[in-house]
Amino acid sequence: RGLTFAWAVFPAALFLAAILKYMRRGDRPSALSAGLWLGLGQYGYNAFKIVPAMLPLAFGLCLFDRRCKGRRGRLWLDETLVAATSLLVFLPLLQYMLQRPQDFWYRAMTRAGSQERPLPGPPAALFAVNLGRMALAFHFRGDEAWINTVAEEPFLDPVTDAFLLAGL
């Protein structure tokens, strides 16, 4: 059996926790942990393929953070450490990706591209619509896919929703 969408959330959450810990403390163990989870996550569901884009974003935010002021020169080395660690973990799958790129990218391209069927509109407009749906899914209108949740029902109950909004 293949990996399901739930397996994208677990390594993504652990990567995010490690990178946020690094952003607060600037310690190398957090950078290594972030690299480990970034590399391991690539073995999971295709939704995780976007997570590596968070790496330059996180380190870019560090450039503007007061807590990173004394260690800005070391940020590039630490970002390279995270990328190198994730690459080492990803190496077996990288070999497969290089040998059979059509198989490696197939599922992602059938979902995000026009390989299986033509896109129903311009990609930028579809992305904007999907972001709007995502924002409404927690509070007002859930997903249409019955396999993941109750169709058209919000993801969160009113109490959990209130805590989420309070946390934001």
Side-chain angles (χ1 to χ4, degrees), residues 133 136-144 152-155:
R133 287 181 179 167
L136 294 175
F138 289 95
H139 316 289
F140 300 107
R141 187 173 84 66
D143 193 8
E144 297 170 3
E152 304 295 331
E153 289 292 321
F155 290 171

Side-chain angles (χ1 to χ4, degrees), residues 5-70:
F5 69 94
W7 293 108
V9 177
F10 182 66
L14 293 171
F15 167 75
L16 185 59
I19 205 71
L20 287 173
K21 185 177 176 185
Y22 172 81
M23 291 171 76
R24 278 193 322 272
R25 296 184 182 176
D27 62 330
R28 294 270 165 87
S30 298
L32 288 169
S33 178
L36 172 74
W37 290 112
L38 188 60
L40 282 176
Q42 293 301 322
Y43 289 90
Y45 191 62
N46 62 14
F48 193 88
K49 303 266 185 283
I50 193 70
V51 174
M54 291 174 54
L55 188 61
L57 177 68
F59 280 90
L61 289 172
C62 282
L63 291 173
F64 300 103
D65 191 348
R66 290 178 291 140
R67 295 173 289 191
C68 297
K69 190 172 186 174

Side-chain angles (χ1 to χ4, degrees), residues 1-5 7 147:
R1 254 182 99 168
L3 296 172
T4 62
F5 69 94
W7 293 108
I147 197 162

Side-chain angles (χ1 to χ4, degrees), residues 19 22 26-28 31-32 55 59 62-63 71-85:
I19 205 71
Y22 172 81
D27 62 330
R28 294 270 165 87
L32 288 169
L55 188 61
F59 280 90
C62 282
L63 291 173
R71 57 185 166 95
R72 287 195 175 129
R74 200 179 93 188
L75 284 175
W76 302 111
L77 292 173
D78 288 346
E79 184 175 14
T80 304
L81 178 67
V82 174
T85 304

